[in-house]
Amino acid sequence: MIAPQGRGIAGPEQTTDTFRILHVSTGNVCRSPITERLTRHALTERLGDPLAGGLVVESAGTWGHEGAPMEAHAATVLSDFGADAQGFTGRELLDEHVIRADLVLTATRDHRAQVISMGHSAGLRTFTLKEFTRLVRAIDPATLPAPDHPGGMVERARALVQAAAALRGWLLAPDAEADEVHDPYGAPITFFRSIGDEINQALDPVVTALTGVPAPA
């Protein structure tokens, strides 16, 4: 299986030892690019070489601007975090992206519903980002496979998704807005930065749970 050019963080040849994370928003020029690149950055901070973990990070938009560059303020936010914004091009969400994804993390509940409506048994592996964060916080990491053996991080990631799906009906959001990351498109840089902080805070426990490695102090 071949990854789209320049989108994954693993090598071009994908195998069953790969775990794909797909971030989804609307246009794939603001929220999902920020989330994709911050995830990659966090993996690099923890692992040094993300290739070793078998984790592939991509993004797409339900109304994606195919081939479009990342929105300029989004790129600025990534720069604030020391993350790489180079080489990004937007893409429209396709069936093949959902089929290949092991975990789909969306910006909003509406995006989640749209992904699930595409079929492909996506319901048990599709969450909003903040929903997944809430569920991950409730999972005892000691119950997950150890990440420090060949294939261990991929096994750990798959077990984490299964555990989160099992908790979903029991650990509900405190209110309707709790699982939403609002669209900053067209807003000033200050709002983009607040969204970037929001995404970064939501990603931190997720990447820690996936890798078994906390963020550097």
Side-chain angles (χ1 to χ4, degrees), residues 42-106:
L43 289 171
T44 301
E45 282 190 321
R46 287 162 170 78
L47 303 178
D49 178 10
L51 294 175
L55 304 179
V56 177
V57 186
E58 302 174 313
S59 65
T62 55
W63 290 90
H65 302 301
E66 190 73 28
M70 188 185 307
E71 210 279 345
H73 285 342
T76 298
V77 167
L78 290 174
S79 178
D80 290 344
F81 284 101
D84 184 12
Q86 296 300 311
F88 182 88
T89 55
R91 62 181 186 171
E92 182 178 355
L93 180 67
L94 301 177
D95 290 86
E96 66 187 75
H97 303 146
V98 177
I99 291 168
R100 289 162 51 172
D102 297 288
L103 172 62
V104 184
L105 296 176
T106 69

Side-chain angles (χ1 to χ4, degrees), residues 82-140:
D84 184 12
Q86 296 300 311
F88 182 88
T89 55
R91 62 181 186 171
E92 182 178 355
L93 180 67
L94 301 177
D95 290 86
E96 66 187 75
H97 303 146
V98 177
I99 291 168
R100 289 162 51 172
D102 297 288
L103 172 62
V104 184
L105 296 176
T106 69
T108 69
R109 291 169 297 159
D110 183 59
H111 296 131
R112 182 185 64 193
Q114 290 180 66
V115 171
I116 293 172
S117 73
M118 295 172 72
H120 316 301
S121 304
L124 292 178
R125 51 195 166 91
T126 303
F127 309 79
T128 76
L129 170 62
K130 287 187 173 180
E131 173 191 23
F132 194 66
T133 301
R134 184 176 69 253
L135 298 172
V136 161
R137 289 184 186 276
I139 297 168
D140 182 354

Side-chain angles (χ1 to χ4, degrees), residues 185-212:
Y185 187 77
I189 185 61
T190 51
F191 188 63
F192 268 84
R193 285 188 165 121
S194 71
I195 292 298
D197 287 339
E198 203 173 307
I199 290 170
N200 192 60
Q201 289 175 25
L203 280 174
D204 180 69
V206 171
V207 177
T208 297
L210 285 168
T211 63

